[in-house]
Amino acid sequence: MSQQTARRGGAAWALVITSVAGFMAALDNLVVTTALPSIREDLGGGLHDLEWTVSAYTLTFAVLLMFGAALGDRFGRRRLFIAGLTVFTGASAAAAMAPGIDSLIAARAVQGAGAAVMMPLTLTLLTAAVPVAKRGMAYGIWGAVNGLAVASGPLVGGTLTEHISWQWIFWLNVPLGLVLLPLARLRLAESHGTGAPLDVPGTLLASGGLFGIVYGLVRGPADGWTSSLVLTGLFAGGALLVGFILYSTRAKNPMLPMRLFRSRAFSGINAASLLMFLGMFGSIFLLSQYMQGVLGYSPTEAGLRMLPWTGMPMLVAPIAGILADRIGGRPVVAAGLFLQALGLGYMAVVATADASYVSQLPALIVSGVGMALFFAPASHLVMSSVRPSEQGIASGANNALREVGGALGIAVMGSIFAAQGGYETGQTFVDGMRPALVTGSAVVALAGIAALLIPTRRHTERQAQSAEPAPVLETAAH
């Protein structure tokens, strides 16, 4: 079958469908945070229950990402994408109609499971639909939309809660999902991975290990790092992940071949992604509270003032994708990470209990440009560092590491904040936030160093040409 036939629905349709689906999944990571007081007022529940409305989604999303990608490779990427989107849309409606806090938590867990199947397949389906020469720009737009979703979650949640009701943070997904489902069926081409049988032992080890690690990270700040459940989760999860690595080095058809990490390109971009999300998620978590709790802005006002940071990917990321096509992804990603680190460090310097918005604006702009330069080329580097038949699991692994990085960032920077400051006054909040932002800046700078270890594009292309490609099985959409 010709490449053109495989892209029957067209690159433009694939870009629209996968970008909107990715936006929905990424948005729901943080969209609930600013709605928690309203949810508690309507549904009741204690602080522990409210925290689980956030953690339930993060947990199932992070744990099932690689499993979702493996299912897509085995049974059809378009088929599983549609299944994940259906589950996500239905669970969003269930969350909006939840009569109590327990049913809301259950719906959020199912929502995260649907997103875990859907999200890693967006990149694989997009890659299959877009010609090689135009993938940088396509990844740029996809990355811009996803970056905007991650950064604007608190704004969207706060605005909908403030002006309509908290239920609309979930209802928002339903019409989008109902529009995307028939479009995905009609406009996306089906593709498969290697056709190898599903790796059940590897799936159980990876899912169990990620569950323990992510559970420990999301519950540590609330339950205490010495809590028996938190310690058990961290140690048992770590042991299972070690077992997964050892098993995968010997298995005939492992879910995640460990040989992929022998590639400097694959290892470097995954290390950079984990560190980037660690620094960025923790910073957004604290800065959104700083804007509202210390500077006195409403959720909508705070979100609008963060637009130079959160909205910049929409302007810069497509340009970053074009640059990556011309000069390679490594210099663009590294420049973006160092700019992001500079922006966070600058914000730590200028943040005070009564800081003017003008003093913060340079930090927000620099951070926004840095984030935009990272997202598009990073996706390109992940997908180009492996064979076409392995792109699904590579996307799943990268997304899983990003989620672990995000959970780790909130846990680490939240702990630094609690140790150095608190919520008592504006000044105590700033006292805790400053060292946390400095830590975030240092971590993102480390991500920049990791990006510099990625081989140049010419070296990567020589490696790809010398590798024996595995076949990609594609069938036309019916």
Side-chain angles (χ1 to χ4, degrees):
M1 169 178 298
S2 72
Q3 199 175 26
Q4 186 62 38
T5 306
R7 291 197 301 272
R8 164 185 172 275
W13 276 114
L15 178 58
V16 170
I17 294 166
T18 58
S19 294
V20 174
F23 179 89
M24 292 162 64
L27 181 72
D28 275 62
N29 250 323
L30 290 173
V31 74
V32 179
T33 53
T34 46
L36 292 179
S38 297
I39 292 173
R40 183 179 185 181
E41 187 177 333
D42 277 4
L43 302 184
L47 179 63
H48 178 78
D49 297 313
L50 291 176
E51 289 166 344
W52 269 111
T53 63
V54 179
S55 299
Y57 182 89
T58 304
L59 198 58
T60 54
F61 186 36
V63 166
L64 297 175
L65 274 164
M66 284 201 294
F67 182 50
L71 286 176
D73 284 351
R74 180 69 180 87
F75 299 109
R77 291 158 179 165
R78 186 192 63 175
R79 179 184 300 172
L80 266 293
F81 173 80
I82 291 172
L85 179 59
T86 302
V87 170
F88 181 85
T89 304
S92 296
M97 297 185 291
I101 194 71
D102 290 337
S103 55
L104 176 60
I105 292 170
R108 286 284 286 165
V110 176
Q111 201 184 22
V117 175
M118 174 177 71
M119 184 67 172
L121 298 177
T122 59
L123 261 184
T124 319
L125 290 165
L126 181 61
T127 301
V130 178
V132 174
K134 296 182 179 179
R135 283 178 187 167
M137 185 172 65
Y139 290 144
I141 296 170
W142 183 91
V145 174
N146 280 266
L148 179 64
V150 170
S152 64
L155 165 62
V156 174
T159 301
L160 290 174
T161 301
E162 185 180 342
H163 297 293
I164 309 178
S165 71
W166 64 264
Q167 285 88 349
W168 276 93
I169 63 179
F170 302 116
W171 280 128
L172 178 67
N173 294 322
V174 176
L176 291 174
L178 292 176
V179 170
L180 288 183
L181 282 168
L183 286 177
R185 178 71 182 84
L186 294 170
R187 299 294 182 179
L188 293 178
E190 184 61 282
S191 66
H192 296 76
T194 60
L198 196 64
D199 178 15
V200 176
T203 298
L204 293 175
L205 286 169
S207 300
L210 285 172
F211 180 88
I213 294 292
V214 177
Y215 177 88
L217 292 175
V218 300
R219 300 308 308 166
D223 298 345
W225 293 104
T226 57
S227 161
S228 58
L229 282 176
V230 170
L231 289 175
T232 300
L234 291 173
F235 284 112
L240 286 172
L241 286 181
V242 170
F244 170 69
I245 293 170
L246 294 175
Y247 163 82
S248 297
T249 58
R250 296 173 173 82
K252 183 179 180 181
N253 295 300
M255 180 175 69
L256 178 61
M258 289 296 112
R259 61 177 170 73
L260 295 182
F261 290 95
R262 291 201 291 266
S263 161
R264 277 172 49 202
F266 187 77
S267 297
I269 192 56
N270 278 290
S273 296
L274 186 147
L275 293 169
M276 163 65 172
F277 271 65
L278 195 162
M280 187 183 68
F281 258 67
S283 301
I284 290 173
F285 179 72
L286 290 174
L287 284 171
S288 62
Q289 296 180 71
Y290 167 70
M291 289 274 192
Q292 296 174 60
V294 178
L295 300 183
Y297 300 125
S298 71
T300 305
E301 291 170 338
L304 290 173
R305 282 166 173 78
M306 289 183 73
L307 273 179
W309 183 9
T310 60
M312 195 63 69
M314 294 299 292
L315 300 175
V316 179
I319 300 171
I322 295 170
L323 278 176
D325 281 339
R326 293 183 177 179
I327 65 173
R330 184 180 90 156
V332 182
V333 165
L337 290 168
F338 288 126
L339 283 174
Q340 178 75 82
L342 178 64
L344 291 177
Y346 187 90
M347 180 63 79
V349 172
V350 302
T352 63
D354 57 353
S356 69
Y357 181 63
V358 173
S359 68
Q360 302 168 54
L361 193 55
L364 295 171
I365 293 173
V366 170
S367 293
V369 173
M371 184 168 66
L373 291 176
F374 169 81
F375 273 113
S379 302
H380 200 169
L381 285 168
V382 170
M383 302 304 276
S384 63
S385 66
V386 298
R387 297 169 179 173
S389 59
E390 296 167 333
Q391 287 174 339
I393 196 59
S395 174
N398 184 256
N399 276 282
L401 287 170
R402 288 183 178 194
E403 287 303 307
V404 171
L408 184 60
I410 292 175
V412 169
M413 295 174 71
S415 297
I416 294 171
F417 168 82
Q420 300 295 322
Y423 291 93
E424 294 80 13
T425 65
Q427 187 56 50
T428 57
F429 190 97
V430 172
D431 289 342
M433 184 180 73
R434 276 180 165 171
L437 289 181
V438 170
T439 302
S441 174
V443 168
V444 176
L446 283 177
I449 295 172
L452 291 177
L453 299 177
I454 298 170
T456 62
R457 181 169 63 175
R458 186 173 299 174
H459 178 79
T460 304
E461 287 172 350
R462 282 201 305 267
Q463 277 193 329
Q465 289 168 1
S466 63
E468 191 69 34
V472 183
L473 306 178
E474 295 186 347
T475 59
H478 298 294

